[in-house]
Amino acid sequence: MFLTDCAYELPSLCLLLVCCLSNNYLRMDKLNVIGSLREITRQMEMLDALFRHATEGIIVVNSEGTIVMLNPMAVELFGYQQMELKSLKIEDLIPARFAAKHVQHRGNYFAEPKARGMGSQMELYAKRSDGSEFPVEVSLSPFQTSEGQFVVGFVIDITERKKQEKRILEANLEIQKLNAELEERVQQRTIELAKAIRAVEESQQEVVRALEKERELNQMKSQFVTIASHEFRTPLATILSSSSLIGKYTATQDDDKRQKHIQRIKSTVTNLTEILNDFLSIGKLEEGKMQNIPVLIDYNEFCINLIDEASGLCKEGQKIHFKYEGKPQVWLDKQLLRNVLFNLLSNAIKYSSEHKQIFFKTAARAESVCIQIQDQGIGIPENDQRHIFDRFFRANNAGAIQGTGLGLNIVKSYIELMGGTVTLSSQLGMGTSFAVSLPLTVPVELAAEHV
């Protein structure tokens, strides 16, 4: 009667138990019976106190899932009046989205009942009388009576725990966010520091380059003074001597002698002009004022005219042999090309003795021009060949042959300005050969017209 009509009437249960026990002990000693009844009553009172004052909700259900007993804390947790719980199913205290599956879970549990906890590995929610939900932790314990199988459930409202966990989670997320921001700031500062270090290193490199440039400039000035004092003094002395002698040759029969000295003056002036042009070219290259401006030229005719000009420098018995292959017109910078070819041809003439031959071969291909200028001159020592394009460098066997050591340096700079390359091969006493390759560059606007 107690299990079906009442939520928590343990005193009535105690009275029933006392009556039953009284009938069984009619033949026992009266004092023993009274003592036993008092002990039973005391234990039942303690059990009733534990049941009523427990801080956990206690719910007892039968095998059909009907609530048969619950303590005051359970009534408080779920917000029902005591009589409202009569005949309720345990699924009535579970959110609707879980209730259907819970019927099956309940059946499975009663098929194999055992004490166990719930909620440690999953989120459990209970439903109050007003429909609101709250998180719970539940533990189950089955027991058997003469009326059948029952399960007692201990329910704990873990709302505050969840709130605390949420606060901890939010705090952890905030800490993670702060850590991420700190790491980002550290990374940013590291990048900024690396940039600053690179800037300092670049500044140091610029200072080193500037100092090196200044050192080279000072060296160049010193070398220029040395060369100028030698290369200028001798030609000027020649001009002065020849001009003085011309003044003495007044007679008509002395005309050949006058012409000889006039030619010496012209040749000397030409040499001085070349020296000055070399220094002017170096200055323009250093200042970045030289530009590669390709134009369409009749390359074969250009080479022939240049050979005629250079032939005036040839010594007795010397001759320039010319061979041309390929298309007649090419796109190249006319002035840069002239300076390169004239310098190489004049060197071939200057460093070759009388009756030695100079060979000039060129081929104009679809995308490049190949040039080879070969002489039968004194050649270049093997140890000097790797320095031959250095500024102010002259081979050890150059001797008294006039030169500034700038010509080949300028040639290489002009060729590189045109995007080309230059190589040499030389054998001492046998001659030297220079090979030049220049790419043909059609102006962008003209190339677009032919696309």
Side-chain angles (χ1 to χ4, degrees), residues 142-185:
F143 65 93
Q144 184 83 29
T145 70
S146 60
E147 294 184 7
Q149 186 76 31
F150 295 90
V151 174
V152 58
F154 300 90
V155 183
I156 302 174
D157 182 354
I158 59 173
T159 301
E160 290 303 320
R161 185 200 302 174
K162 289 293 182 182
K163 288 181 179 179
Q164 185 64 22
E165 289 176 354
K166 183 179 179 181
R167 285 192 291 269
I168 293 173
L169 178 61
E170 290 175 349
N172 287 336
L173 291 175
E174 184 65 23
I175 292 172
Q176 292 176 5
K177 180 181 178 182
L178 292 174
N179 287 338
E181 290 177 354
L182 180 60
E183 289 178 1
E184 185 178 356
R185 289 179 183 177

Side-chain angles (χ1 to χ4, degrees), residues 226-246:
T226 302
I227 291 173
S229 64
H230 178 268
E231 297 296 333
F232 286 2
R233 183 170 57 245
T234 302
L236 289 173
T238 301
I239 293 172
L240 180 61
S241 174
S242 295
S243 61
S244 299
L245 290 172
I246 288 173

Side-chain angles (χ1 to χ4, degrees), residues 31 72 77 81 86 91 95-96 140 144 161 178 197 246 330 372 381 393 443:
L31 291 176
L77 284 177
Q81 296 296 322
K86 186 176 182 180
E91 284 76 23
L140 305 177
Q144 184 83 29
R161 185 200 302 174
L178 292 174
I197 292 173
I246 288 173
V330 296
Q372 183 183 28
F393 181 82

Side-chain angles (χ1 to χ4, degrees), residues 182-227:
L182 180 60
E183 289 178 1
E184 185 178 356
R185 289 179 183 177
V186 170
Q187 187 176 9
Q188 184 64 30
R189 293 292 186 272
T190 302
I191 293 173
E192 292 175 356
L193 180 60
K195 288 181 179 179
I197 292 173
R198 283 197 298 270
V200 171
E201 290 175 348
E202 289 174 359
S203 298
Q204 291 176 341
Q205 292 174 359
E206 289 178 2
V207 171
V208 171
R209 284 194 294 268
L211 292 173
E212 182 65 21
K213 197 76 172 178
E214 185 177 357
R215 187 188 65 80
E216 290 178 358
L217 184 60
N218 291 334
Q219 184 179 3
M220 181 178 174
K221 289 178 180 178
S222 176
Q223 290 172 326
F224 172 76
V225 170
T226 302
I227 291 173

